[in-house]
Amino acid sequence: MGEFCSPEYMYFYVTEACNLNCRHCWVSAGQPASPTLQPAEIVNVLHQLNDAGTKKVKFSGGEPFARPDFCEILESIQDSKMMIEIDTNGYRRLSMDEKGVLQTLDVRLNISIDSPNPNIHDAFRGTGGALERTLSTMHECCDLNVPFRVVTCCQENNALPPLIELSMKVGAERVRIISDIMPVGRADSGFSCMEIQNIIDRYRVIADCQEQYRDYVSSTVPPAFARRSEFERDCRWGVTVCSVLSNGDIGPCGIGKHFPELIAGNVRSDDILDIWSYSPLFVRMRNIDLHKLDGVCGLCRFSDSCGGMCRAFTYSRYRSLNAPYPPCQDIYDSGLFPPDALRANAQVGIIDSEELAGGIPLPLR
């Protein structure tokens, strides 16, 4: 199958069920969707990926541990060569079986905290006592020698330095700061509009934290606003990353739930490796020229490293894979984009959102 015989990194959204009601949930998790893949179907796909050379799989949702058979799925792949990550809110106490499986796997948990202040965290999560229970899960992970990192979505009430200090205290390996919240699903009502200066200030606070805590903190701040030469790009649609949704749909990530044109197939009817290698959608994404992205991204000297940032976020605004990253374009249009981040003599006008609304037609299959 050539260069793209398998994705390096697989996101597997094993359920839409969740025990919390988070304000920033862009997949609107809560009740399990129907139909949901059975354990045997999930394991079959994972074995295919393992045999083809996929290096890492991340289980997400929803809340993966909300699946009563999630432990069964993990046990079925404990002999695989893939590194395993699990996104979890940490609210539910681990069962004895789950503790045993986690100790036998090459696994890392990504545990979410929104604020070191329990009132703020619990309000954001929609459930009282959420922070206390999440911290208890982190202490359990330390006792089990199961590594975990803290993931937080930056917003006004984060109090990032205290949150980072708390993460260090409870034994987190690292803190990952998501700088921009995807404005779809449940997050659409509260995070789609933000003052330009607030976005810049938020990026500045995150950059300060990265300077202070160095390698302990990573983030998704666009490199034009960061103060460090390196940029950790861990999501490359169609080039290294593929996703399967809880109903078996194959796409670049969970954004396919909201935009059917970003679904390339379904594991119940299609071979995932064929879809990954040859589907028009993934081929189209691989052929995006980073130097010819629209708007400020096409003229930014960091486009090679960041790849235009999150293409899902971009698509949710402009319905185009070639459009600029919305926060960067909004900042540029306001006249506040760092001039030294642009290529020499680069100029770009304001993007016409209505003109881009039709986007670039994408085949469903």
Side-chain angles (χ1 to χ4, degrees):
M1 291 186 186
E3 182 181 359
F4 296 102
C5 61
S6 70
E8 291 182 22
Y9 194 171
M10 190 73 195
Y11 296 164
F12 223 119
Y13 297 83
V14 291
T15 184
E16 290 190 8
C18 191
N19 46 11
L20 296 180
N21 188 41
C22 304
R23 289 176 52 212
H24 64 327
C25 183
W26 59 283
V27 297
S28 299
Q31 296 300 315
S34 181
T36 298
L37 292 176
Q38 297 300 307
E41 294 175 303
I42 295 173
V43 171
N44 178 58
V45 172
L46 293 171
H47 283 165
Q48 283 183 271
L49 294 167
N50 179 62
D51 292 344
T54 294
K55 297 177 181 178
K56 181 162 49 174
V57 59
K58 179 169 75 171
F59 293 107
S60 191
E63 169 56 50
F65 288 105
R67 274 193 73 129
D69 53 15
F70 186 51
C71 193
E72 174 186 339
I73 294 169
L74 294 177
E75 287 178 329
S76 298
I77 60 167
Q78 60 184 345
D79 293 329
S80 77
K81 298 185 289 290
M82 298 182 291
M83 183 198 170
I84 299 167
E85 289 188 358
I86 303 171
D87 290 343
T88 178
N89 55 45
Y91 182 79
R92 175 183 169 277
R93 292 186 67 87
L94 297 170
S95 69
M96 292 301 297
D97 287 342
E98 288 162 347
K99 291 178 182 179
V101 172
L102 291 177
Q103 287 182 295
T104 65
L105 295 173
D106 180 13
V107 64
R108 182 183 69 190
L109 302 186
N110 300 317
I111 305 178
S112 303
I113 295 182
D114 299 303
S115 172
N117 184 319
N119 293 329
I120 295 173
H121 175 90
D122 295 356
F124 205 69
R125 295 275 154 177
T127 303
L131 180 59
E132 180 181 0
R133 294 183 63 160
T134 295
L135 292 175
S136 177
T137 295
M138 292 178 175
H139 289 301
E140 280 194 314
C141 288
C142 290
D143 292 341
L144 297 168
N145 291 318
V146 174
F148 66 93
R149 69 176 177 179
V150 166
V151 180
T152 189
C153 292
C154 185
Q155 9 102 29
E156 289 185 24
N157 295 324
N158 269 114
L160 284 177
L163 188 151
I164 294 167
E165 293 290 341
L166 174 62
S167 301
M168 297 173 74
K169 182 178 179 180
V170 297
E173 286 191 333
R174 205 175 192 198
V175 173
R176 176 73 166 164
I177 304 172
I178 309 301
S179 59
D180 298 299
I181 295 175
M182 182 85 69
V184 296
R186 211 157 41 235
D188 187 35
S189 59
F191 299 95
S192 56
C193 297
M194 181 174 287
E195 294 292 332
I196 300 300
Q197 190 58 53
N198 287 347
I199 297 174
I200 296 172
D201 290 345
R202 186 179 64 211
Y203 289 167
R204 187 174 294 124
V205 168
I206 297 173
D208 287 343
C209 288
Q210 287 190 276
E211 282 292 302
Q212 180 177 353
Y213 295 97
R214 304 302 300 167
D215 295 336
Y216 190 72
V217 173
S218 65
S219 81
T220 61
V221 169
F225 299 91
R227 301 197 191 111
R228 303 174 69 175
S229 57
E230 69 272 17
F231 178 77
E232 183 181 336
R233 184 183 175 197
D234 60 1
C235 180
R236 299 183 66 196
W237 277 22
V239 180
T240 61
V241 176
C242 181
S243 295
V244 173
L245 305 187
S246 62
N247 66 352
D249 282 344
I250 306 167
C253 73
I255 196 70
K257 175 184 175 180
H258 302 288
F259 302 105
E261 65 271 26
L262 296 180
I263 296 299
N266 188 287
V267 297
R268 283 178 160 158
S269 57
D270 303 298
D271 183 283
I272 190 168
L273 298 177
D274 284 344
I275 292 295
W276 167 255
S277 297
Y278 306 119
S279 72
L281 174 60
F282 282 111
V283 171
R284 166 76 182 86
M285 290 189 292
R286 283 181 203 124
N287 289 326
I288 293 175
D289 187 338
L290 300 180
H291 292 277
K292 294 182 180 180
L293 294 174
D294 294 330
V296 68
C297 289
L299 296 165
C300 179
R301 65 186 180 90
F302 294 105
S303 62
D304 285 332
S305 58
C306 76
M309 296 297 291
C310 177
R311 294 289 87 195
F313 195 149
T314 293
Y315 195 86
S316 72
R317 164 82 73 88
Y318 296 115
R319 306 299 190 269
S320 168
L321 294 176
N322 281 73
Y325 185 57
C328 286
Q329 186 63 42
D330 290 344
I331 293 170
Y332 185 88
D333 290 342
S334 72
L336 297 175
F337 196 83
D340 60 354
L342 296 173
R343 297 192 184 99
N345 301 318
Q347 294 182 358
V348 59
I350 295 175
I351 290 295
D352 186 335
S353 296
E354 292 185 3
E355 181 179 334
L356 283 175
I360 297 173
L362 291 172
L364 292 177
R365 302 283 171 169

